[in-house]
Amino acid sequence: MPQNESKELLEALDAMKKEKNQENAERLTKLLEEIEVLVPAVMPKNTDPAILKQMSSSTPETPHPVPEGAQPLPCILQNEAGQKFFPIFTSNEQIEKGEGVPRYPITLNMPFKSCIDLIVKIKGVEGAVINPYTHNILMNINRENDASGGPEPIQLSEPEFHALVRKQMEAALLPGKIFTEGEDFIKDL
């Protein structure tokens, strides 16, 4: 689970919102690369109801790993001009600041670098938007091969996305549970 935003990260976000320049962009990117972020997601319509019920028991305070067979899809935001962006939130508090916006059914905990790798593979997405309800900082993603006519990036399939998210959740959640609950957690497994 992402930690509350650091003062340094909030300052970098505010500076980037106020003045978009290379120095602020590099500082923000460096800080984001060191943290895990939240990505809103939905489940495909054909998802097994048992999986949906299992996932609905998760809360921001008590996250659960993605269950076997679940294949969450990241939400994509679209602006008035029709451009599509991948939303990235730096904390639960940032998600809750979206007044009048429906609550996201699922939030995935992912390293920022994995988000960028995923964005490159999703066709039609211009880039990322960091904290869209407060800072609304757009990050265009450099697709090196698009303009050169070279090979197109491979699109991530649902099973690949599922494997990526599952790996991240298990890497973060399982060690934390073992550390906090110890032997009791191991016995429950």
Side-chain angles (χ1 to χ4, degrees):
M1 190 82 220
Q3 300 297 319
N4 288 336
E5 299 158 307
S6 70
K7 183 178 177 183
E8 186 178 10
L9 177 60
L10 285 173
E11 288 173 357
L13 287 163
D14 290 338
M16 186 66 178
K17 184 177 180 179
K18 183 184 278 187
E19 184 179 349
K20 293 174 175 61
N21 61 38
Q22 186 69 25
E23 181 183 331
N24 287 342
E26 288 174 2
R27 178 179 170 217
L28 177 59
T29 302
K30 182 179 177 209
L31 291 169
L32 287 170
E33 286 177 347
E34 298 171 1
I35 66 168
E36 291 192 349
V37 294
L38 295 171
V39 175
V42 294
M43 294 300 289
K45 290 181 182 179
N46 62 350
T47 303
D48 181 0
I51 291 173
L52 293 173
K53 185 175 181 180
Q54 183 180 359
M55 291 186 75
S56 69
S57 66
S58 180
T59 65
E61 295 78 31
T62 58
H64 297 290
V66 176
E68 187 73 36
Q71 298 178 354
L73 302 171
C75 293
I76 303 297
L77 300 180
Q78 184 172 334
N79 66 12
E80 296 83 22
Q83 296 173 306
K84 295 180 181 180
F85 293 92
F86 188 95
I88 296 175
F89 294 92
T90 55
S91 69
N92 283 317
E93 292 78 22
Q94 293 293 337
I95 293 174
E96 293 166 6
K97 290 181 181 177
E99 294 180 18
V101 177
R103 189 169 159 83
Y104 293 111
I106 303 167
T107 51
L108 304 173
N109 182 18
M110 298 174 65
F112 179 75
K113 289 180 181 182
S114 295
C115 292
I116 300 304
D117 293 341
L118 184 58
I119 293 167
V120 169
K121 295 178 182 181
I122 300 174
K123 288 186 180 182
V125 174
E126 302 285 328
V129 58
I130 311 297
N131 294 336
Y133 307 136
T134 54
H135 298 98
N136 198 29
I137 297 171
L138 300 179
M139 295 184 80
N140 292 323
I141 303 303
N142 185 8
R143 290 183 166 89
E144 298 165 5
N145 295 325
D146 281 0
S148 67
E152 197 172 283
I154 299 170
Q155 186 171 8
L156 190 64
S157 69
E158 287 183 26
E160 290 171 327
F161 179 74
H162 167 67
L164 172 74
V165 172
R166 183 179 181 100
K167 180 181 174 186
Q168 297 302 325
M169 293 297 289
E170 290 174 349
L173 183 66
L174 187 60
K177 284 283 198 179
I178 291 171
F179 181 74
T180 57
E181 297 178 25
E183 192 173 322
D184 293 336
F185 179 72
I186 299 294
K187 287 179 185 177
D188 288 343
L189 280 176

